[in-house]
Amino acid sequence: MIFSLVLFAVEVYIALYVRDTFIRSYFGDVLVTLLIGCIVRVFIPEKIKALPIYVFIFAVFVELAQLIDVVGLLGLGDNKFLSVLVGRCFSFIDIVCYLAGCLLLYALDCVLLKLKD
C-alpha cells in the first residue's frame, strides 16, 4: 500500500512539475505500469501469476485509445483531467516503456514472493 502511494506521488510530481524529454516521456510510462500492478495487489493480494501480462494488455489498450483519440471522439477534448489520464498522443515507444515496467513488475513480484517464503 505504501509503495503504491509513493509511486502515485512520484507520478503526480512528474505530471505536474517535470518538463524534460526523458523522465516525463519514458520513466513516467515505466512507473505507471508498476503503479497499476501495485494498486491491483492492494485489492487482490493473492498471487495473480499473469498480472504483469494483464497490466501490459491494459496499457496497450490505453495507448491504442490514444491512437484513435478516444477522448476527442467522445467530445471530451476540453477535459484536462481525462486528456492527461488517458492521453491524446500515441507513441510506439510508450508501449516499449510499458513492457519495461511490466518486466519490473514481474521481477518485483518474484522478489516479494521469495521474501514471503
Side-chain angles (χ1 to χ4, degrees):
M1 173 77 164
I2 293 172
F3 190 62
S4 298
L5 293 173
V6 169
L7 281 175
F8 180 73
V10 169
E11 283 288 337
V12 169
Y13 180 82
I14 289 170
L16 295 176
Y17 301 109
V18 177
R19 297 288 177 241
D20 75 338
T21 57
F22 180 78
I23 299 293
R24 185 175 173 99
S25 300
Y26 306 114
F27 191 64
D29 288 340
V30 171
L31 288 183
V32 78
T33 53
L34 280 175
L35 174 61
I36 292 168
C38 288
I39 289 171
V40 170
R41 285 278 180 247
V42 167
F43 294 103
I44 308 171
E46 307 86 52
K47 180 78 173 141
I48 302 172
K49 289 185 180 188
L51 180 62
I53 294 169
Y54 299 144
V55 170
F56 180 71
I57 291 169
F58 174 76
V60 169
F61 275 118
V62 171
E63 197 66 26
L64 292 175
Q66 293 174 10
L67 177 64
I68 64 169
D69 190 20
V70 74
V71 174
L73 288 173
L74 294 173
L76 300 169
D78 293 336
N79 186 318
K80 285 192 174 231
F81 177 74
L82 282 177
S83 291
V84 169
L85 183 66
V86 176
R88 302 206 53 199
C89 299
F90 173 82
S91 171
F92 181 75
I93 298 298
D94 288 352
I95 294 173
V96 174
C97 292
Y98 300 147
L99 178 61
C102 287
L103 291 173
L104 286 173
L105 178 61
Y106 176 75
L108 182 64
D109 268 355
C110 288
V111 168
L112 292 176
L113 186 62
K114 286 189 181 205
L115 289 175
K116 190 176 181 180
D117 291 340

